Amino acid sequence: MLIKGFSPLVFLESILKYNYDFGTQFKTKSSGVCTLIKYVNAKNVYVMFEDGTVIKVASGNLLTGGVSNPNHPSVFGVGINDVGGSIPTDDKRYTLWCSIIRRAYSDLYHHSKPTYKDVEVCDRWKRFSNFAEDVVKIPFYEKCITDKYELDKDILGGYLRIYSPETVCFIPRSVNIFFSRNTQKQSNLPTGITFNKRLNKYVASCNIGGKNTQHLGVFDTPEEALIVYKRTKNKLLKTLANSLKGDIEEKVYNKLLNYYDLE
């Protein structure tokens, strides 16, 4: 029963104001423990988290544990969403950020995609506000919204295997599909080369458009097979790059033209 004239906010404020002193600790739902360091009024209560982060909260949220540390790595134990609820979860910047943190640091994702186990995200991008600021400056960012361009770390980053402002670019899905494998890779052989026990020969093959596999021939050595594989992939990739000229960054275009020449 609601008592006439009773104000829950005033009641909570009186509890906090008269029953808790400087240094009182409060348990939060998601960020461990915080400590009361200053009380102004019900809407202006200052608390400090264990890492030294100080925030202003409302007394009601504090007493119910509904406060969070903006510097707490809450996304896969690494990512820091320091913007909190002020950005919609369907914002493209946020979905891209969650995706790269997941790829680099989710054990469950690595179970199904083991090739991502050695991938990293640069320290700056482990904080969402930094990523949100940087990613919109990368050329063709808007096309990831309108034309389903994808954020790639390998074309520019190569062996570094890291998501960072210097190593990523936005590319059409057709480019990512070009580099995908639709045949099982034998761990002791380069991509595109397999050993046929019945023939006692090495077989070279490559995919076209990520779906169809083109047989390139049978060879006595893996080195011979690899030469033909790279020659074929290089020709196909140059055709693809030329078809996309103007729709990708110039440095990405140049890298694609010489991708297999540089290996």
Side-chain angles (χ1 to χ4, degrees):
M1 180 177 69
L2 182 64
I3 301 174
K4 187 176 181 180
F6 173 77
S7 170
L9 182 60
V10 172
F11 178 67
L12 287 171
E13 180 177 0
S14 66
I15 291 177
L16 190 62
K17 185 175 182 179
Y18 297 109
N19 294 282
Y20 295 106
D21 300 319
F22 173 83
T24 301
Q25 292 188 324
F26 296 85
K27 186 176 181 180
T28 70
K29 294 177 181 178
S30 62
S31 302
V33 173
C34 65
T35 302
L36 177 66
I37 61 172
K38 184 179 180 181
Y39 177 88
V40 179
N41 55 46
K43 294 184 178 180
N44 295 277
V45 182
Y46 292 84
V47 296
M48 178 185 292
F49 290 93
E50 294 171 295
D51 65 354
T53 300
V54 175
I55 64 170
K56 180 179 70 173
V57 299
S59 59
N61 292 334
L62 178 60
L63 292 171
T64 59
V67 298
S68 59
N69 183 351
N71 292 316
H72 178 68
S74 58
V75 182
F76 298 105
V78 175
I80 299 172
N81 181 5
D82 53 345
V83 177
S86 63
I87 184 168
T89 55
D90 62 349
D91 187 292
K92 191 62 180 179
R93 294 169 298 171
Y94 186 76
T95 56
L96 282 172
W97 181 70
C98 286
S99 177
I100 66 172
I101 297 294
R102 174 173 172 255
R103 291 179 181 184
Y105 302 108
S106 168
D107 291 337
L108 184 61
Y109 188 82
H110 293 165
H111 181 72
S112 60
K113 304 283 187 179
T115 56
Y116 279 86
K117 285 185 177 180
D118 62 342
V119 171
E120 298 179 72
V121 174
C122 71
D123 288 341
R124 175 172 171 80
W125 278 8
K126 289 175 183 176
R127 186 176 292 273
F128 173 64
S129 61
N130 292 336
F131 177 83
E133 177 186 345
D134 295 342
V135 74
V136 296
K137 299 175 184 177
I138 298 173
F140 298 99
Y141 162 76
E142 67 282 353
K143 283 186 173 288
C144 77
I145 301 172
T146 60
D147 297 286
K148 297 182 179 180
Y149 272 39
E150 299 177 349
L151 188 64
D152 177 81
K153 68 185 181 322
D154 297 320
I155 294 175
L156 298 181
Y159 69 91
L160 294 176
R161 306 280 287 164
I162 187 171
Y163 287 99
S164 72
E166 298 78 27
T167 59
V168 303
C169 58
F170 282 103
I171 57 173
R173 179 161 175 73
S174 58
V175 179
N176 260 343
I177 290 176
F178 181 89
F179 290 110
S180 68
R181 293 195 300 266
N182 63 339
T183 55
Q184 187 174 2
K185 181 181 183 299
Q186 293 183 0
S187 59
N188 61 329
L189 292 173
T191 298
I193 312 302
T194 56
F195 181 71
N196 187 304
K197 291 182 179 180
R198 183 178 62 84
L199 298 175
N200 196 32
K201 299 279 187 178
Y202 294 91
V203 179
S205 60
C206 70
N207 63 57
I208 302 175
K211 295 181 179 180
N212 302 316
T213 300
Q214 179 178 338
H215 178 73
L216 304 179
V218 178
F219 306 89
D220 292 326
T221 67
E223 290 77 17
E224 292 176 299
L226 186 59
I227 290 172
V228 174
Y229 170 81
K230 285 187 174 183
R231 185 183 299 147
T232 303
K233 291 288 282 189
N234 201 38
K235 181 179 179 180
L236 293 171
L237 186 54
K238 285 182 177 179
T239 299
L240 177 60
N242 283 320
S243 72
L244 295 171
K245 190 172 185 180
D247 290 322
I248 53 177
E249 286 186 77
E250 188 70 18
K251 62 182 178 180
V252 174
Y253 169 75
N254 291 330
K255 197 70 178 283
L256 292 179
L257 287 182
N258 301 291
Y259 190 84
Y260 288 98
D261 293 340
L262 297 174
E263 286 190 346

